[in-house]
Amino acid sequence: MKEMLQIQNLSISFGGIHALSDVSFDVHDGEILGLIGPNGSGKSTTVNIVSGLYRADSGKIIFNGKEVPHKLNDVARSRLGIGRTFQTPKPFSNMSVYDNVFTIALQKHSFRAARERTDEILELTGLHVYASMLSAKLPIEKRKWLDMARILVTDPKILMLDEALAGLNASEMDESLALVKKINESGLTVLFIEHIMKAVVTLCHRVVVLNQGQLLAEGEPREVLERKEVIEAYLGEADH
């Protein structure tokens, strides 16, 4: 199976504390890979390095068969096809839903193509019914969807979702999981960073478990979550 993303021996420290120590794993082309672990395990740090917000102390990131230079910033990595959302949605709050997506689309497409692509993405995400609404007035679930839409309109090859379900109720979670599955089935590789194990088991093809900045386990979700070392790492986690 082709590897979309290869993370090789990634390490980073902050003030002498090892946030990641020699972490390696692959994301297969077309899959949904769950990246899980207790609080402080290094999940968001990994995404921040891959997306270019942090620079690793050592290790390699290979994307689509080519090594990504450490000096490449987040904008340049986005152009390569590396897309990510944040735990807290950050739309242009003074713009409509449509203009939020269209403004991003214009960075890559001509005016006409940007309109077409915006319409396609709003339809895909179900946000077309909110197109004229001010983004600040959207409920939290739809703001998270808008974050996804703003990334999708850049035509990424991988979408890294950082706790896309945080703050949602049960029905909103189900709707969001269905959307992520739909996005994946449209051909996009997804790295799914999440705390809610039920969602991970439901959605992900494989999981990678981090603990204290190190790779703890990887494999099929149900099998991995039954391992003794994974259960012990999660002891005390209320959402396990």
Side-chain angles (χ1 to χ4, degrees):
M1 184 174 286
K2 181 185 174 186
E3 312 298 353
M4 172 64 68
L5 177 67
Q6 296 168 275
I7 290 170
Q8 299 180 350
N9 309 110
L10 218 54
S11 296
I12 188 170
S13 297
F14 299 103
I17 296 173
H18 297 294
L20 288 179
S21 300
D22 206 29
V23 169
S24 298
F25 65 87
D26 298 334
V27 185
H28 300 159
D29 187 15
E31 78 171 336
I32 303 176
L33 178 71
L35 181 58
I36 66 174
N39 286 324
S41 59
K43 302 184 298 297
S44 290
T45 299
T46 301
V47 173
N48 285 336
I49 292 173
V50 173
S51 63
L53 290 183
Y54 294 168
R55 186 177 294 189
D57 297 332
S58 60
K60 293 181 180 180
I61 297 165
I62 298 172
F63 180 65
N64 236 10
K66 295 181 180 179
E67 185 172 349
V68 180
H70 286 303
K71 64 182 180 181
L72 218 58
N73 66 18
D74 55 338
V75 175
R77 293 184 193 215
S78 174
R79 292 196 185 107
L80 288 179
I82 298 173
R84 62 86 51 91
T85 64
F86 292 85
Q87 292 179 18
T88 303
K90 300 177 179 180
F92 302 131
S93 57
N94 61 337
M95 285 187 182
S96 70
V97 169
Y98 187 93
D99 287 344
N100 257 273
V101 180
F102 180 62
T103 301
I104 302 296
L106 279 173
Q107 296 179 25
K108 182 164 186 176
H109 302 285
S110 67
F111 190 88
R112 181 175 177 180
R115 287 227 174 268
E116 291 175 355
R117 192 69 182 126
T118 298
D119 288 339
E120 289 171 4
I121 295 301
L122 290 179
E123 188 74 32
L124 174 69
T125 56
L127 290 172
H128 57 290
V129 296
Y130 302 95
S132 61
M133 183 182 286
L134 203 63
S135 65
K137 295 188 176 181
L138 287 172
I140 181 64
E141 177 198 26
K142 299 303 187 288
R143 287 205 302 275
K144 287 174 178 281
W145 291 16
L146 180 54
D147 252 18
M148 290 187 215
R150 281 156 43 97
I151 301 302
L152 291 172
V153 83
T154 68
D155 302 324
K157 295 179 176 68
I158 188 170
L159 178 60
M160 301 187 292
L161 299 174
D162 197 355
E163 297 198 20
L165 305 182
L168 305 187
N169 63 36
S171 64
E172 289 170 339
M173 281 185 197
D174 288 343
E175 290 175 348
S176 293
L177 287 174
L179 175 58
V180 175
K181 187 175 182 181
K182 184 179 178 183
I183 289 168
N184 174 247
E185 288 173 348
S186 75
L188 192 59
T189 303
V190 176
L191 182 60
F192 189 68
I193 301 93
E194 193 48 68
H195 268 297
I196 300 164
M197 294 301 104
K198 182 180 176 183
V200 170
V201 170
T202 299
L203 189 68
C204 298
H205 303 125
R206 294 188 304 127
V207 295
V208 165
V209 187
L210 298 182
N211 188 39
Q212 297 180 344
Q214 297 181 317
L215 182 68
L216 181 63
E218 60 181 309
E220 189 275 326
R222 290 186 187 278
E223 184 269 324
V224 166
L225 290 172
E226 289 174 357
R227 292 187 196 175
K228 184 185 177 201
E229 66 269 27
V230 175
I231 293 170
E232 287 176 351
Y234 270 100
L235 283 176
E237 290 276 320
D239 53 10
H240 179 65

